[in-house]
Amino acid sequence: MSSAFHEILRAVASAMELPVVLLLVLLLAFAVFTVGWLLVEYFTEHRHMKFTLPVLLETLRTTDDVLKTLERSRLNRRQRALLAELAAHPELTAELRRSLADNLLEHEQAHYDRLIKLTDLAAKLAPMFGLLGTLIPLGPGIIALGQGDTYTLSVSLLTAFDTTIVGLIAAAVCMVVSTVRKRWYGVYMSDLETLADCLCEREATA
């Protein structure tokens, strides 16, 4: 009975080796993709966000054409779209405008949270699959060692080391991307909340 139980466990572990390796390759590809995604985001929007918040607030507070001011500002595309949507409803009461602003800000925060959670999840999963990829080949390797089969042992150890390295690299890259994005998006949301407050106050005093 005990022997059959161990055979089942060994069969399950062996069957998981190929899926684990494939998942590690996909996680590494995702890590490379997120680096490219981050660079595109930096060069298309982040590096162009050069504005002084107090100056922009004063301009929005005094301008007669909010939409044109937003279009000419150095805010990123999503920020301009949110503020333009808020400014496009001057007929709303102050309470409804504040409710709309809160709703738009919550959706924007949820969008950024989803992006960060993707890389956070990959950073957590990659070491786990790397550990699985390390342990699974050791079973056949130990058996080969007992039988004096050094070739099978060396292949098993090489697979174990390679999967560990791939898992750690993917996790490290995703962790760095998450850290950078959290800093960027935190600043985005802070500026956006201040600008949304400015537009709500402007319409309330108009």
Side-chain angles (χ1 to χ4, degrees):
M1 181 64 179
S2 176
S3 176
F5 181 70
H6 287 128
E7 288 294 330
I8 293 173
L9 290 179
R10 183 68 253 156
V12 171
S14 298
M16 289 298 297
E17 182 173 357
L18 182 59
V20 166
V21 172
L22 288 176
L23 283 171
L24 280 170
V25 172
L26 290 176
L27 285 168
L28 183 62
F30 175 75
V32 174
F33 171 76
T34 56
V35 171
W37 188 359
L38 189 72
L39 290 175
V40 169
E41 188 177 347
Y42 174 77
F43 284 108
T44 58
E45 289 194 341
H46 184 76
R47 70 189 293 261
H48 299 297
M49 291 179 61
K50 299 176 181 178
F51 63 91
T52 304
L53 187 59
V55 174
L56 182 56
L57 287 172
E58 182 62 23
T59 304
L60 287 174
R61 193 179 66 84
T62 58
T63 185
D64 294 328
D65 194 337
V66 173
L67 295 179
K68 184 177 290 186
T69 300
L70 290 173
E71 188 62 32
R72 292 176 177 174
S73 70
R74 295 254 180 131
L75 297 169
N76 68 35
R77 176 180 54 83
R78 295 188 63 87
Q79 288 175 319
R80 291 197 305 269
L82 186 149
L83 294 172
E85 179 66 24
L86 184 59
H89 302 282
E91 75 283 357
L92 297 178
T93 64
E95 185 176 351
L96 283 176
R97 191 175 302 105
R98 169 47 56 191
S99 178
L100 175 62
D102 291 341
N103 183 270
L104 292 172
L105 289 170
E106 285 177 8
H107 279 82
E108 190 70 4
Q109 184 66 63
H111 168 76
Y112 290 138
D113 288 344
R114 282 193 298 271
L115 296 181
I116 292 171
K117 284 178 181 177
L118 285 175
T119 46
D120 279 348
L121 181 62
K124 292 175 182 177
L125 289 178
M128 295 181 187
F129 286 114
L131 180 59
L132 283 173
T134 302
L135 297 177
I136 290 173
L138 290 182
I142 292 172
I143 294 173
L145 178 62
Q147 297 174 345
D149 185 356
T150 56
Y151 175 76
T152 301
L153 175 62
S154 62
V155 170
S156 298
L157 290 176
L158 185 62
T159 302
F161 289 137
D162 288 345
T163 52
T164 302
I165 293 170
V166 170
L168 291 176
I169 290 174
V173 170
C174 289
M175 188 177 299
V176 170
V177 171
S178 283
T179 301
V180 173
R181 279 183 167 166
K182 286 175 185 176
R183 182 169 57 84
W184 285 3
Y185 297 162
V187 173
Y188 291 175
M189 289 305 301
S190 178
D191 293 344
L192 199 52
E193 289 173 8
T194 303
L195 292 166
D197 287 340
C198 175
L199 291 181
C200 288
E201 180 181 330
R202 167 195 166 91
E203 297 300 332
T205 58

